[in-house]
Amino acid sequence: MGEYHFNLAIGIVEDTVAGTMAYNLFSSFSKPDIFLFNVIIRSSSHNNHHSSSFSLYSHLRKKTSLKPDNFTYALLISSSSYLESPEIGYWIHFHSIIDGFQSDPFVGSSVTDFYLKFNQVHKARKAFDKITNPDTVSWNTLISGLVRNCCFSESIKVFECMLLSGTRFESTTLAAVLPAAAELQDMRTGKYVHCLAIKTGFFTHVYVLTGLVSLYSRCGGILTCKFVFEQINEPDLVSWNAIISGYSCNGEAGFSVKLFKDFIGSGFKADSSTIVGVLPVFSPFGHLCLCKSVHGLSIKFGVDLNSSVSTALITVYSRLNEIGSARKLFDGSSK
């Protein structure tokens, strides 16, 4: 995509309603400075008016003598992450390099996250490596993004490099790396993170504890999983889903159902993850009554058409030789 096509794309978004609203606000200031540009760009982005952000950037470059700063580029690149195509983000990144912000941690973190959201892991690593002194946010962005892209071993290696660099980690760092350890069933890394959480006082954080619940359940440590769950003062939906799924995938369908009843009794509404977690997909024995009950609840909660739910139900019905029910679900699936 050339510079001409980039400007053409920007010109198109300038005609949007969101862009008009931003310019109306802008017109009330006789001499806007870069701080004002950044404030409105940030506001537009946070309100999902990403076209407005690029319209303002185009106005900044073409009609003012102001220069974008590191916050401008960080905000714009973050907005680019929400577009269907990465082309505009490529050019914003290119402009940030020309203006000398390649090594800036704010810009670098946004660029890293941008490429990871478009599944371009190699480019994300290159962008991260250009940051002179990556901060905690930069490291967290890379670790969590690698996990999202299923680069589990690499995310653990990056976590280890972060610790060796002496960068201060936070509870969000531990929560980011735990899913990788869980997917790899890497108990050694999981226990190490568990010890770090206790040592640094992050063991009370719900997202760290939830990550540990998932880890121990994936590694077969169901008793430890239960112990960790009991340390959560106020379990949220994700925590409940983790423990319910943990018992189910370890063949403890009865305990999973009991927890599911406690979950409903606590006033929570099941989502697709809850339904998939309680279904006895991993059980070698017949649970037709349970399967039909959960199927009925999935309809009640409005998640029966979710692809994960229908796939899990098809799997269980097929194993129970309920081929008619499985086929009916399959034919009714939109995807």
Side-chain angles (χ1 to χ4, degrees):
M1 179 178 178
E3 181 79 24
Y4 168 76
H5 295 96
F6 171 76
N7 288 329
L8 179 62
I10 292 297
I12 292 171
V13 298
E14 282 180 352
D15 293 330
T16 63
V17 174
T20 303
M21 291 172 62
Y23 283 120
N24 287 341
L25 175 62
F26 228 52
S27 63
S28 61
F29 296 89
S30 57
K31 292 183 178 180
D33 57 11
I34 192 62
F35 177 78
L36 179 60
F37 269 98
N38 290 345
V39 167
I40 300 181
I41 288 172
R42 183 177 185 274
S43 176
S44 299
S45 179
H46 280 207
N47 286 283
N48 295 320
H49 296 154
H50 304 293
S51 57
S52 253
S53 299
F54 301 117
S55 297
L56 288 165
Y57 176 63
S58 178
H59 181 84
L60 171 66
R61 284 172 59 88
K62 294 177 180 178
K63 299 180 181 179
T64 76
S65 59
L66 298 172
K67 294 290 185 181
D69 61 14
N70 56 340
F71 293 106
T72 314
Y73 283 120
L75 292 166
L76 289 166
I77 293 168
S78 293
S79 283
S80 302
S81 302
Y82 295 93
L83 303 179
E84 292 184 2
S85 174
E87 276 77 12
I88 288 180
Y90 291 157
W91 274 100
I92 299 292
H93 181 200
F94 176 72
H95 291 167
S96 73
I97 295 173
I98 295 300
D99 282 347
F101 294 111
Q102 187 173 19
S103 61
D104 182 84
F106 292 104
V107 178
S109 295
S110 295
V111 172
T112 301
D113 185 58
F114 164 75
Y115 283 120
L116 287 167
K117 284 183 177 177
F118 282 99
N119 310 117
Q120 299 181 27
V121 174
H122 179 66
K123 288 184 178 181
R125 284 305 309 261
K126 286 183 67 175
F128 177 83
D129 291 339
K130 296 293 184 181
I131 303 174
T132 304
N133 293 303
D135 57 12
T136 305
V137 174
S138 303
W139 286 102
N140 287 355
T141 299
L142 181 58
I143 292 168
S144 60
L146 288 171
V147 172
R148 289 199 310 271
N149 282 273
C150 300
C151 301
F152 305 120
S153 296
E154 190 174 353
S155 67
I156 291 175
K157 290 178 182 177
V158 170
F159 172 67
E160 292 171 348
C161 289
M162 177 185 183
L163 297 181
L164 290 173
S165 73
T167 305
R168 181 178 61 86
F169 63 88
E170 298 176 346
S171 57
T172 49
T173 315
L174 304 184
V177 76
L178 278 170
E183 289 293 335
L184 296 172
Q185 296 184 11
D186 184 354
M187 185 68 89
R188 183 191 68 84
T189 298
K191 286 184 175 179
Y192 180 66
V193 173
H194 191 165
C195 291
L196 280 177
I198 294 173
K199 183 178 179 180
T200 54
F202 295 141
F203 189 63
T204 59
H205 292 229
V206 62
Y207 33 87
V208 174
L209 291 168
T210 300
L212 289 169
V213 167
S214 297
L215 167 80
Y216 286 119
S217 68
R218 292 295 296 272
C219 295
I222 197 65
L223 293 178
T224 308
C225 172
K226 178 176 180 292
F227 169 78
V228 173
F229 179 78
E230 290 172 346
Q231 307 309 304
I232 305 176
N233 291 328
E234 295 182 2
D236 58 10
L237 177 61
V238 179
S239 306
W240 277 107
N241 287 350
I243 189 67
I244 290 169
S245 174
Y247 271 95
S248 182
C249 72
N250 279 279
E252 300 283 357
F255 284 104
S256 181
V257 171
K258 181 182 181 302
L259 285 165
F260 180 72
K261 290 179 179 178
D262 293 340
F263 164 82
I264 297 297
S266 298
F268 285 93
K269 179 182 178 181
D271 64 2
S272 58
S273 297
T274 319
I275 298 298
V276 172
V278 77
L279 279 168
V281 177
F282 300 95
S283 176
F285 306 108
H287 290 283
L288 180 57
C289 183
L290 172 59
C291 183
K292 288 184 175 180
S293 297
V294 175
H295 189 179
L297 284 170
S298 72
I299 296 172
K300 178 181 177 180
F301 289 117
V303 296
D304 56 305
L305 299 180
N306 179 276
S307 60
S308 298
V309 173
S310 58
T311 301
L313 285 166
I314 289 169
T315 302
V316 179
Y317 278 133
S318 299
R319 286 182 177 178
L320 295 171
N321 205 29
E322 293 288 322
I323 304 303
S325 298
R327 181 70 200 210
K328 185 177 180 180
L329 276 169
F330 180 80
D331 291 339
S333 299
S334 58
K335 295 183 180 180

